[in-house]
Amino acid sequence: MRSAQLAERAERVIPGGVNSPVRAFGSVGGTPRFIVSGSGPYVTDVDGTEYVDLVASWGPALLGHAHPAVVEAVQTAAARGLGFGASVPEEAELAEEMISRVPGLERLRLVSTGTEATMTAIRLARGATGRPLIVKFAGHYHGHSDGLLAEAGSGLATLALPGSAGVTAETAAQTLVLPYNDPAALAAAFAEHGDRIAAVIAEAAAANMGVVPPEPGFTEFMIGLAHGHGALVILDEVLTGFRAGASGYWGIERARMASALAPDLFTFGKVVGGGLPLAALGGRAELMEMLAPLGPVYQAGTLSGNPLAVAAGLTTLRHADDAAYAALGRAAEVLSGEVSRALDTAGVPHRVQRAGTLFSVFFGEFSDGPHDYAGAQRQETQQHRAFFHAMLEGGVNLPPSAFEAWFVTAAHDAAAISRVVEALPAAARAAAEAVPAAPVV
């Protein structure tokens, strides 16, 4: 298998052979596939094997791989030049398109990665409030900047501990890590530290521990509590933005809220670059205008607003119309239901959870939820491992981790869905035959 040969070659020059850890198949074992092309709902590896893809580049391939309009837009932009170190007209067009879709989004700054977007949003929140502390939720991922690679301390309102080697205790101690969907824990943190908290940052719907949406009323409670203490709210839509729905998951949440409360800042990535490196932060005008060159909060990037990435993102959003989101919704509805049906038939306990067009499968006994990271960690990962490899053998490319969302595209038509459905019974039987882990006593 050429993928195995390429993996060995990569390991000699790249740490772990990969440039992002989940690609190494560490959670599922086996040999990661090296992909050489994609078209619509399919990807093809170096050995010529075609798979129905449910990774979708971890979200950006909203319309499907190599969408003709997106490819043409990038080729046209590339023919004009790869970058100029100066503004291009399409940057404002992309900002206008995003602002038109997201309630409460008034100004936007383009950056290159989701990590950069959340890092800058936190700097901006601290600059605006003059406060040091950030609240985040266990299991929510906001990039790999030091202050966000933090783990919960020994109590609900205690300062965090380093979550990675290289993160100092002093940096981690500027973060409070709380259980998600727990209003009492959030209230306790503000009761103890409220005058020092700059902002709460949360994924609009958690999708990096599997899909765990906010409980009804939790987002509204979070915003109201933070604002009552003079703190800001940063809603991280790097993964869910324009993917969970046309206005991101915030659009779904806002439609359910009784009040006019809104987050102060948003972060975006993935879909906004259409498959190329691009991200953004945005929010209320008076906050965003604290960024340089207008204000005292510094942020800069040579490749920010790169014309190729802007062309890909703008074209993707312009083609992400009602019909595209209807197709995404149908594919997510059918596939999540078929997965659950196959697992039920094989007698595999599980739970499927959705957030808009995102969904994931939790293997194990769940009477409800999971609602937080502790609940997500109770899943039977060895059953996921067996299921994953059986699906791969059946020609379906799933995320290689039990703690990731599944992504459909607008190109997942009846033929692609049928191929997934055909692979499910064997994969469900493989999961049933995997021995669940012994319970911790």
Side-chain angles (χ1 to χ4, degrees), residues 83-88 91 109-113 116 120 277-281 299-307 309-310:
F84 312 108
S87 297
V88 298
E91 291 173 83
R109 171 65 60 88
L110 298 179
V111 295
S112 295
T113 69
E116 188 182 354
T120 305
L278 188 70
L281 65 145
Q299 181 277 329
T302 299
L303 297 180
S304 296
N306 174 268
V310 169

Side-chain angles (χ1 to χ4, degrees), residues 213-234:
E215 291 292 292
F218 182 76
T219 299
E220 189 170 12
F221 174 83
M222 173 181 69
I223 297 171
L225 181 66
H227 287 179
H229 285 268
L232 305 181
V233 171
I234 304 167

Side-chain angles (χ1 to χ4, degrees), residues 55-436:
V55 177
S57 192
W58 300 101
L62 186 77
L63 305 176
H65 294 287
H67 187 279
V70 177
V71 171
E72 181 182 1
V74 172
Q75 290 173 335
T76 300
R80 293 195 295 260
L82 301 184
F84 312 108
S87 297
V88 298
E90 292 78 13
E91 291 173 83
E93 292 180 44
L94 177 57
E96 288 166 353
E97 178 70 28
M98 294 171 64
I99 287 170
S100 73
R101 287 170 171 252
V102 180
L105 187 60
E106 297 175 343
R107 298 287 188 278
L108 201 75
R109 171 65 60 88
L110 298 179
V111 295
S112 295
T113 69
T115 291
E116 188 182 354
T118 56
M119 176 187 73
T120 305
I122 285 170
R123 181 182 301 161
L124 181 56
R126 285 179 168 139
T129 62
R131 297 174 177 183
L133 300 183
I134 299 295
V135 172
K136 74 176 291 284
F137 297 103
H140 286 218
Y141 180 69
H142 306 290
H144 61 270
S145 59
D146 284 5
L148 294 173
L149 290 181
E151 295 181 342
S154 59
L156 290 183
T158 60
L159 302 180
L161 304 171
S164 168
V167 176
T168 66
E170 293 81 4
T171 298
Q174 293 184 319
T175 304
L176 298 167
V177 182
L178 305 179
Y180 187 43
N181 279 323
D182 189 335
L186 190 59
F190 270 100
E192 185 166 344
H193 301 285
D195 61 349
R196 301 178 65 222
I197 295 173
V200 180
I201 185 169
E203 290 185 67
N208 285 280
M209 54 176 164
V211 172
V212 180
E215 291 292 292
F218 182 76
T219 299
E220 189 170 12
F221 174 83
M222 173 181 69
I223 297 171
L225 181 66
H227 287 179
H229 285 268
L232 305 181
V233 171
I234 304 167
L235 205 63
D236 184 343
E237 293 250 37
V238 166
L239 201 155
T240 54
F242 314 112
R243 158 58 73 172
S247 301
Y249 200 76
W250 165 240
I252 296 171
E253 277 286 277
R254 186 177 182 272
R256 298 169 178 165
M257 288 171 51
S259 71
L261 291 170
D264 304 281
L265 295 168
F266 299 84
T267 59
F268 303 95
K270 310 292 187 186
V271 170
V272 301
L276 293 179
L278 188 70
L281 65 145
R284 291 191 282 115
E286 65 269 26
L287 286 173
M288 291 299 296
E289 290 174 359
M290 293 186 70
L291 288 173
L294 296 179
V297 179
Y298 191 72
Q299 181 277 329
T302 299
L303 297 180
S304 296
N306 174 268
L308 272 66
V310 169
L314 180 58
T315 306
T316 296
L317 287 181
R318 284 178 170 170
H319 282 77
D321 55 16
D322 290 345
Y325 284 107
L328 286 157
R330 285 193 300 271
E333 180 72 25
V334 171
L335 285 177
S336 60
E338 291 290 347
V339 170
S340 190
R341 190 172 297 110
L343 292 171
D344 281 339
T345 299
V348 179
H350 69 283
R351 186 171 177 85
V352 176
Q353 295 199 157
R354 283 185 62 184
T357 69
L358 300 166
F359 67 95
S360 65
V361 183
F362 296 89
F363 289 88
E365 297 281 359
F366 291 95
S367 58
D368 190 28
H371 304 288
D372 57 16
Y373 189 43
Q377 288 179 306
R378 291 199 300 270
Q379 64 182 302
E380 299 288 355
T381 56
Q382 69 280 7
Q383 290 188 307
H384 170 267
R385 185 179 301 116
F387 183 84
F388 168 85
H389 280 289
M391 290 294 282
L392 197 63
E393 287 298 315
V396 180
N397 185 45
L398 298 181
S401 169
F403 296 93
E404 298 287 355
W406 296 23
F407 300 92
V408 295
T409 78
H412 277 75
D413 57 13
I417 291 171
S418 292
R419 285 175 59 172
V420 178
V421 173
E422 288 169 6
L424 285 171
R429 288 193 297 271
E433 293 166 4
V435 179

